Amino acid sequence: MNDPYETTETHLERLLGRALNSFDLPDALVEQLGHALAHASSLCSAHHSAGLHRETYRHTYLLVDGSALSLWELVHNAGRDDARSHELYAEESEAQLAAARLCRPGSPEAARLSDDGSAGPEVARDPDGPPMDDVAAGLLAELESERTAEIDAHLALLRGLRAMPSTPVPRHRMYSPDNSPDHARRVLRRAENADRPGEQTARLLRTAFAHHITQVFGRQCQVEGKDAGFMLYEHAFLLIDGSETSLWEVEHTATPDGRHMCEVYETEHLAREAMELRAQVR
């Protein structure tokens, strides 16, 4: 639901354009959202059965005055020809009521959705997260007061968007914000080892906004009577929520024909084990 390359303006236009009931939203609300600075989306609930598919999403927007507004989107196939339909609501209770109407009358699912009196789970702040300016701090306080189950996903995105670059965080690396998601894709694409990081890691690295490359190891040795070189690089990535993760790339020429080969691993331990295995082949 969160496309790092989609602007908040485009996201809102797409949301309003596909909703069947967007004309029911208050004009003042739509006007406020038109000046939003950032946005985050999350899946709040889902129901899938033989005949009904329904999801509810929360779209949260950061406004210029530091406050936050949310739209609740109901997506279902209860319309004509099982076509996918979208509805927008300004209040969670309205979205829950609309979802309850899609369920069989008297079913436990309908009863649960019609009861909006329960409070969401408590969400704790991350004391080690990146610093926030006053606007983001105000947004954090407001979002926490709503006690929503999916609020941590919104906070992670908005903290990262508001924290840079005016309040840099001291780090042991000098990160470079130079199209880092594309750099991660290229590193993973050139990996030839079967146990390279999978799709889960690739999805995580799409949220990277800066990276740093360090040569950790380099050595020449004999493998099967031939000269071979080994290089180990750490590709460190700074993610949008302020956390860090790394890819460990092994470059070597310990191949039958002496050609250059790249392997990528999720940890330094796995990368060093791979180098040792290659160097011991006889």
Side-chain angles (χ1 to χ4, degrees):
M1 292 298 296
N2 288 317
D3 183 350
Y5 301 105
E6 183 178 48
T7 65
T8 299
E9 181 181 9
T10 302
H11 173 82
L12 181 61
E13 289 178 355
R14 181 167 59 86
L15 207 62
L16 295 174
R18 71 190 181 196
L20 300 176
N21 64 334
S22 58
F23 53 85
D24 288 334
L25 295 173
D27 292 340
L29 174 65
V30 176
E31 183 177 355
Q32 280 184 295
L33 293 173
H35 301 286
L37 301 175
H39 69 280
S41 302
S42 63
L43 175 65
C44 294
S45 65
H47 173 83
H48 297 281
S49 63
L52 175 64
H53 301 279
R54 185 202 70 237
E55 299 98 30
T56 303
Y57 296 89
R58 179 181 182 179
H59 305 277
T60 303
Y61 296 87
L62 172 64
L63 305 184
V64 293
D65 62 355
S67 62
L69 280 178
S70 293
L71 290 179
W72 301 85
E73 183 181 28
L74 177 64
V75 184
H76 61 84
N77 68 334
R80 182 179 301 177
D81 300 326
D82 287 337
R84 192 173 175 87
S85 301
H86 300 258
E87 301 174 15
L88 278 179
Y89 298 93
E91 300 293 337
E92 182 181 12
S93 59
E94 296 175 350
Q96 288 181 336
L97 183 60
R101 293 195 186 105
L102 300 177
C103 303
R104 296 190 309 273
S107 67
E109 179 74 5
R112 184 185 66 80
L113 288 169
S114 298
D115 181 14
D116 61 351
S118 59
E122 180 130 9
V123 177
R125 290 183 57 177
D126 179 8
D128 298 323
M132 297 176 292
D133 56 21
D134 293 340
V135 173
L139 172 61
L140 176 61
E142 181 170 348
L143 290 178
E144 285 179 336
S145 68
E146 296 180 18
R147 301 168 65 87
T148 306
E150 297 296 329
I151 209 63
D152 54 338
H154 304 310
L155 296 177
L157 176 63
L158 295 174
R159 275 201 299 257
L161 290 173
R162 299 300 297 171
M164 57 178 190
S166 59
T167 54
V169 182
R171 298 185 182 275
H172 63 281
R173 300 184 181 94
M174 295 296 294
Y175 282 101
S176 171
D178 184 19
N179 202 359
S180 299
D182 184 65
H183 175 75
R185 282 192 295 268
R186 287 186 282 110
V187 172
L188 293 173
R189 187 171 59 239
R190 63 179 177 249
E192 298 184 49
N193 53 310
D195 54 344
R196 60 186 176 272
E199 181 57 29
Q200 182 177 357
T201 299
R203 286 197 301 267
L204 178 66
L205 291 173
R206 289 177 195 141
T207 67
F209 66 86
H211 65 277
H212 178 82
I213 306 171
T214 303
Q215 180 181 329
V216 179
F217 175 85
R219 178 174 298 175
Q220 295 288 326
C221 63
Q222 289 282 318
V223 177
E224 296 183 338
K226 299 178 181 179
D227 290 331
F230 290 87
M231 303 289 285
L232 176 61
Y233 297 93
E234 180 188 14
H235 300 264
F237 296 89
L238 183 61
L239 306 182
I240 194 69
D241 63 354
S243 63
E244 299 171 279
T245 190
S246 295
L247 293 177
W248 298 86
E249 182 180 24
V250 176
E251 295 185 359
H252 67 86
T253 55
T255 52
D257 56 356
R259 72 176 181 87
H260 181 271
M261 181 178 181
C262 291
E263 301 177 30
V264 177
Y265 298 89
E266 291 186 347
T267 67
E268 182 179 9
H269 176 71
L270 291 174
R272 289 187 178 273
E273 279 190 343
M275 287 194 298
E276 291 175 2
L277 181 62
R278 292 287 186 181
Q280 293 170 6
V281 171
R282 292 292 184 268

